[in-house]
Amino acid sequence: MNNYYIKRILSAIFTLFIIGTLTFFMMKLMPGGPFARERPLAPEILAQLEEKYHLNDPIWKQYIDYMIGMIKFDFGYSYRELGVSVTEQIILKFPVSLRLGALATLFVIVIGIPIGIVSALKQNTWVDQLAMFIATIGVTIPGFVVATLYVSIFAGSLQWVDATDLDHWSSYIGPVLALSFYSLSFVSRLTRSSMLEILRQDYMRTARANGLSKVRVLYKHALKNALIPVVTYLGPMFAAVITGSFVIEKVFSLGGIGRYYVDSVGNRDYTMIMGVTMFYAAIYIVMVLLVDIAYSWIDPRIRLGKKQGD
C-alpha cells in the first residue's frame, strides 16, 4: 500500500481517538449529572443508578471502558430510556438521516456542478448572471429558514404536501431542498470559478491549437482538473449534510438520528450524546479520508509527493 494512504488512515484513527477522548472528558466536566432533576432523587436511588451505569468507578476505568466500547461500536445504554441501547438506536434511526443526506448530496452533484460548468462557459451572459444571483441567495439563507418557509407555504397554506411523513416521494422535496440549498449554491460557484481558472491556463490553449475538439478539451482536460476543489468539498459536505439535518429533522418532525440527538441533549442523556457524537465524527473522518483518496486519484502527483510543476 502506498505510504500516502497509510499516513491518511493512521491520521484518521488518531483523530478519532482525540475526538473520543475530548468528548468523554467534556461530558464529565459538564455541571450536574445525567440523573439531575428539579426534584432531586433520593440518595439511595441515585447510588443504585450510579452503580448500575458504573458511574461510581474511577474516572480512568470509565475512560478505558468507554474507549473499548467505542472500538466495539458499543456505546452502552441510554440514561433516560430503560434498556435502550445507544447502538441500536443509531442503527434504527440513522437510515432516515442517511437517506436524506444521500438524496441531498446527489441533488447537489447533479444540479450544482452542471450549473457551474454552464455559467463558466457562458461567462458574463444572462445565464451566468442569473445562476450566480440564485447561488448568492442560496449561500446567504440558512437551511432552517428554507425549511420553515417550505412548511409554512407548501404544507401549511397550500397543503400540497405532507411535510411530516416520508412515505411518499413528494415528502422528500422539502427536507432535501432545505439540506442542499446552501451546498448546491456553493458548489455551483466553486465549479464556475475553478472552471474559469482552468480555461485560462496555457495548456488549454495549446490543446486547442493542436487540433483537439472543443468538447474533448473541455471534458478530458478542463473538467477533470476543475473538479479537484469540488471533490475536496463534496466529502465533508456529505458528512455535514447528514449532521446538519439536526434542525431540519426537527422542523419537519422526522424520526432520524439528528432529531433524536437534539432530544438527547435536552434530556442530558450523556451516553446517547457521546455515542451519536462519535458516530458522526467517524462519518466525517471517513468522508475526509475518501476525499483524500479520490483527490490522489484525480491528481496522482499528490500521492507521489510531487509539487506543482514537477
Side-chain angles (χ1 to χ4, degrees):
M1 184 182 292
N2 192 290
N3 288 335
Y4 174 84
Y5 301 125
I6 295 176
K7 290 178 181 179
R8 290 298 180 274
I9 293 173
L10 292 177
S11 176
I13 295 174
F14 179 73
T15 302
L16 193 60
F17 169 78
I18 295 298
I19 294 175
T21 300
L22 291 175
T23 301
F24 175 82
F25 286 105
M26 286 176 67
M27 289 293 102
K28 294 300 179 182
L29 291 174
M30 289 183 63
F35 306 113
R37 302 288 193 278
E38 292 184 6
R39 296 180 60 183
L41 296 173
E44 57 273 13
I45 296 178
L46 183 60
Q48 291 177 2
L49 288 172
E50 289 180 347
E51 182 178 359
K52 175 181 175 61
Y53 290 103
H54 305 285
L55 296 177
N56 54 357
D57 290 342
I59 191 70
W60 62 266
K61 187 177 185 304
Q62 293 184 47
Y63 172 71
I64 293 176
D65 291 341
Y66 167 73
M67 297 303 290
I68 292 175
M70 185 181 70
I71 295 173
K72 296 179 178 179
F73 196 58
D74 179 9
F75 300 109
Y77 289 87
S78 169
Y79 289 156
R80 291 291 181 169
E81 301 181 45
L82 185 64
V84 175
S85 168
V86 174
T87 303
E88 291 177 357
Q89 286 298 99
I90 291 175
I91 295 174
L92 178 65
K93 298 182 179 296
F94 179 65
V96 175
S97 301
L98 178 61
R99 190 158 59 245
L100 291 174
L103 289 173
T105 302
L106 181 63
F107 185 67
V108 169
I109 294 174
V110 172
I111 304 299
I113 293 178
I115 288 177
I117 294 173
V118 172
S119 295
L121 297 178
K122 301 290 184 179
Q123 185 183 13
N124 296 329
T125 65
W126 69 269
V127 175
D128 179 33
Q129 293 173 356
L130 177 61
M132 289 304 99
F133 174 74
I134 297 175
T136 301
I137 294 177
V139 297
T140 56
I141 301 179
F144 70 87
V145 174
V146 177
T148 304
L149 290 175
Y150 182 88
V151 171
S152 176
I153 297 173
F154 295 100
S157 301
L158 300 178
Q159 296 185 346
W160 287 356
V161 294
D162 182 2
T164 61
D165 190 2
L166 294 179
D167 290 337
H168 193 267
W169 67 267
S170 62
S171 302
Y172 284 90
I173 296 176
V176 169
L177 183 62
L179 281 172
S180 63
F181 198 46
Y182 172 85
S183 297
L184 174 66
S185 303
F186 185 85
V187 166
S188 299
R189 294 168 62 89
L190 183 62
T191 303
R192 177 185 180 274
S193 61
S194 181
M195 180 65 76
L196 287 174
E197 182 180 354
I198 295 299
L199 291 176
R200 298 189 183 109
Q201 298 295 319
D202 292 337
Y203 72 87
M204 294 297 297
R205 289 190 289 268
T206 302
R208 292 287 291 132
N210 288 335
L212 296 179
S213 65
K214 184 177 181 179
V215 174
R216 186 176 181 183
V217 170
L218 176 63
Y219 288 99
K220 186 175 181 180
H221 298 282
L223 186 58
K224 185 176 181 180
N225 292 322
L227 288 180
I228 290 178
V230 178
V231 170
T232 305
Y233 174 76
L234 286 178
M237 183 211 74
F238 176 66
V241 164
I242 297 176
T243 57
S245 65
F246 293 161
V247 178
I248 305 302
E249 289 180 16
K250 194 72 174 179
V251 172
F252 287 96
S253 300
L254 304 177
I257 193 64
R259 181 186 176 189
Y260 197 72
Y261 182 77
V262 173
D263 293 339
S264 299
V265 173
N267 294 330
R268 302 173 69 91
D269 194 343
Y270 290 175
T271 50
M272 191 66 68
I273 294 172
M274 290 190 294
V276 177
T277 299
M278 291 309 304
F279 180 66
Y280 276 132
I283 291 176
Y284 192 91
I285 291 171
V286 168
M287 293 311 303
V288 171
L289 179 62
L290 293 177
V291 166
D292 286 339
I293 294 174
Y295 201 86
S296 66
W297 177 77
I298 294 175
D299 190 350
R301 293 172 300 178
I302 295 172
R303 68 172 180 268
L304 294 176
K306 294 184 179 181
K307 298 179 180 180
Q308 186 75 20
D310 288 353

